[in-house]
Amino acid sequence: MKKWFCLLLVLIILIFSFWNYQNKIYSDIIDACYEAGGETINIQLEGSSFLSGYNDKYLLSKELISGFDVISYEYTQTDEEFLLNAIIPSGYITVRLRDVENKIYASLTVSQNAHNVNINNIKQTIFINFIRHRAIPKFSILVVGRFNGRLTTAQMKEKAIEILKSKRAIFVDGIENENLVSVSAFLPTLEERKKCEDRYINLNIALRYSDLNKCTYIWIGSPLIFEEY
């Protein structure tokens, strides 16, 4: 009995250590824009998983935002998707629910101003809400920042490479043109990853100049950038 208790204790310690280590990597990704000389303006963290045994999507969406300081919310429903948008003090939450065979695919995205974010608390709240529904969520993070003025293609490449080197990520692929640089890379220490053809990636960096706003935006996503840039 004592032996099994010791093994369980070791397992709990290992899981806790792994969780903290993954959280540190996420925090490092958030700091990447600032370290490269830019301004971080928005952070999105998404948790997603398949759930089973739930018919009331309204109730389920409310339970998935439990623990957040919700000011107001609204929802819409179509044949394809149930969507709930909630406002919180420093941003907003989006819950999407879709029927997939006999299960529900649920995603919860928290978008916040970068100056008011505590990524570890947000991740923990999302994790707890999914665990309550007997599901372990997969996480994605997106950091949006900007540099004043126009960066040349060479400068954008330099910023992207600088971030890859600082995070010890392995370059996989990239594209570039006059206004855009986009690179894909693999960070071995990060659990989440996607397989593209025969290679894994879990870090995307894109930079694009905005003539309208006279600045160069940067998107840093893991495992993928999950919005248009």
Side-chain angles (χ1 to χ4, degrees), residues 60-90:
L60 175 58
S61 65
K62 288 292 297 299
E63 291 174 349
L64 287 175
I65 62 173
S66 174
F68 291 102
D69 185 12
V70 175
I71 298 171
S72 64
Y73 66 88
E74 61 180 14
Y75 67 92
T76 58
Q77 185 168 9
T78 66
D79 291 338
E80 292 78 27
E81 181 180 66
F82 180 96
L83 176 66
L84 182 143
N85 290 310
I87 297 174
I88 54 178
S90 56

Side-chain angles (χ1 to χ4, degrees), residues 8-40:
L8 179 61
L9 183 61
V10 170
L11 180 61
I12 292 172
I13 292 172
L14 288 174
I15 292 173
F16 181 76
S17 299
F18 179 76
W19 173 267
N20 285 338
Y21 185 65
Q22 294 294 302
N23 284 350
K24 183 182 183 304
I25 295 173
Y26 272 48
S27 297
D28 287 345
I29 291 174
I30 292 172
D31 292 337
C33 177
Y34 172 77
E35 292 169 355
E39 175 192 5
T40 304

